[in-house]
């Protein structure tokens, strides 16, 4: 669009550069007089022009050095979007002096309602598996990778697991279990930093990265309920776990 001399004068007056499209017969860009091109202000100029904004105090990260601190911090946490839709947080259940720590994935519907990991049919099966090696729920500590329910039981996203990791690490540090039982794919993958199928992780005893704590992987009870033929493998896992606890 061709501007009249008056329009061009107005634009120049408010600091707007007229953008010239190249048309047939018009001069090549290098032939355009660049003397009137208005340069963008440098960063320095922008920073000088910006009004002073008072610094917003950043809350220090919560101390996760006592059991009460960990539980309180979990209940107050809004570090990821899972806090927006869950009914309540699910920090874990059991003994803080447990020798065996069981780590699952995240709360499902029933866990979300009750505020406790592994309830419902999966929880009943886990209880039976523990009973088979002489343990009750109150003698172990059971927790999960993320403490809030992912919507529609989807897998937790990597950033959500990362946001929740300090709580799990603090729980492991305080409990200092002799053995960890990692239950299901999501737990095994995040704890062991692995992408191997659970079936391939069953055959060996792992170590929690950065520690000496042995980790036994087993199938999730929900998987066993869907695939009863895998229960014999889970029973083998429990016998290995029992042996590990006795020998340590
Ligand atoms: Fe906080 Fe963990 Fe819940 Fe995310 S999942 S809001 S990090 S407690």
């Amino acid at each position: 669009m061709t501007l009249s001399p008056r329009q061009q004068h107005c634009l120049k007056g408010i600091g707007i550069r007229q953008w010239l499209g190249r048309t047939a017969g018009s001069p090549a860009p290098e032939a355009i007089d660049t003397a009137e091109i208005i340069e963008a202000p440098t960063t320095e100029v922008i920073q000088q022009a910006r009004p002073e904004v008072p610094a917003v105090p950043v809350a220090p990260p919560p101390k996760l050095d006592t059991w009460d601190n960990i539980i309180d911090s979990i209940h107050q946490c809004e570090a990821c979007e899972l806090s927006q839709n869950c009914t309540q947080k699910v920090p874990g259940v059991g003994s803080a002096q447990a020798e065996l720590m069981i780590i699952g994935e995240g709360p499902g519907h029933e866990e979300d309602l009750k505020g406790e990991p592994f309830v419902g049919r999966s929880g009943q099966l886990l209880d039976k598996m523990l009973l088979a090696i002489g343990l009750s729920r109150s003698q172990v500590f059971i927790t999960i990778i993320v403490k809030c329910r992912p919507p529609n039981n989807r897998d937790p996203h990597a950033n959500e697991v990362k946001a929740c990791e300090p709580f799990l690490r603090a729980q492991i540090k305080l409990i200092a279990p002799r053995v960890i039982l990692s239950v299901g794919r999501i737990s095994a993958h995040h704890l062991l930093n692995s992408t191997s199928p659970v079936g391939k992780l069953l055959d060996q005893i792992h170590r929690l990265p950065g520690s000496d704590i042995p980790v036994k992987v087993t199938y999730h009870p929900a998987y066993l309920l869907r695939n009863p033929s895998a229960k014999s493998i889970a029973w083998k896992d429990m016998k290995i776990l029992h042996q590990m606890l006795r020998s340590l």
Side-chain angles (χ1 to χ4, degrees), residues 112-189:
D112 177 65
L113 291 179
K114 197 167 177 194
E116 185 175 327
F118 287 100
V119 294
R121 289 181 67 217
S122 287
Q124 287 164 12
L125 180 53
L126 180 67
D127 288 349
K128 283 181 188 165
M129 290 162 69
L130 288 173
L131 210 55
I133 58 169
L135 290 171
S136 69
R137 186 173 271 247
S138 62
Q139 290 174 291
V140 302
F141 188 81
I142 307 175
T143 190
I144 36 190
I145 294 278
V146 289
K147 317 300 188 194
C148 301
R149 184 192 180 203
N152 303 316
N153 290 345
R154 66 159 167 78
D155 289 355
H157 296 154
N159 66 316
E160 294 158 352
V161 173
K162 192 167 167 39
C164 217
E165 192 177 287
F167 297 130
L168 182 62
R169 294 278 165 205
Q171 288 177 316
I172 293 172
K173 191 173 173 193
L174 266 190
I175 293 172
R178 294 172 74 185
V179 180
I180 289 175
L181 179 66
S182 171
V183 178
R185 171 179 57 87
I186 291 169
S187 168
H189 284 180

Side-chain angles (χ1 to χ4, degrees), residues 8-158:
Q8 289 179 29
H9 179 75
C10 289
L11 284 178
K12 192 175 170 187
I14 58 176
I16 295 176
R17 171 189 167 196
Q18 183 189 350
W19 194 259
L20 297 175
R22 189 175 178 198
T23 56
S26 67
E30 52 273 19
I32 296 174
D33 179 8
T34 56
E36 292 189 16
I37 292 177
I38 301 166
E39 291 187 5
T42 62
T43 309
E44 197 178 328
V45 173
I46 291 172
Q47 283 170 350
Q48 283 172 359
R50 195 173 286 159
E52 289 263 325
V53 178
V56 179
V58 177
K63 276 191 178 172
L64 301 175
D65 53 355
T66 68
W67 200 246
D68 286 347
N69 283 350
I70 295 171
I71 303 301
D72 287 349
S73 298
I74 290 172
H75 283 302
Q76 289 167 22
C77 181
E78 295 181 348
C80 80
E81 66 176 23
L82 294 185
S83 66
Q84 307 298 314
N85 297 308
C86 68
T87 305
Q88 59 188 313
K89 309 291 171 61
V90 184
V93 68
S95 167
Q97 283 84 43
E99 294 189 336
L100 173 62
M101 191 164 176
I102 300 174
I103 303 177
E105 46 189 48
H109 175 63
E110 290 177 89
E111 285 84 5
D112 177 65
L113 291 179
K114 197 167 177 194
E116 185 175 327
F118 287 100
V119 294
R121 289 181 67 217
S122 287
Q124 287 164 12
L125 180 53
L126 180 67
D127 288 349
K128 283 181 188 165
M129 290 162 69
L130 288 173
L131 210 55
I133 58 169
L135 290 171
S136 69
R137 186 173 271 247
S138 62
Q139 290 174 291
V140 302
F141 188 81
I142 307 175
T143 190
I144 36 190
I145 294 278
V146 289
K147 317 300 188 194
C148 301
R149 184 192 180 203
N152 303 316
N153 290 345
R154 66 159 167 78
D155 289 355
H157 296 154

Side-chain angles (χ1 to χ4, degrees), residues 184-186 188-189 195-203 217-220:
R185 171 179 57 87
I186 291 169
H189 284 180
T195 54
S196 299
V198 169
K200 292 208 167 154
L201 296 169
L202 299 176
D203 292 338
V217 173
T218 193
Y219 287 120
H220 196 285

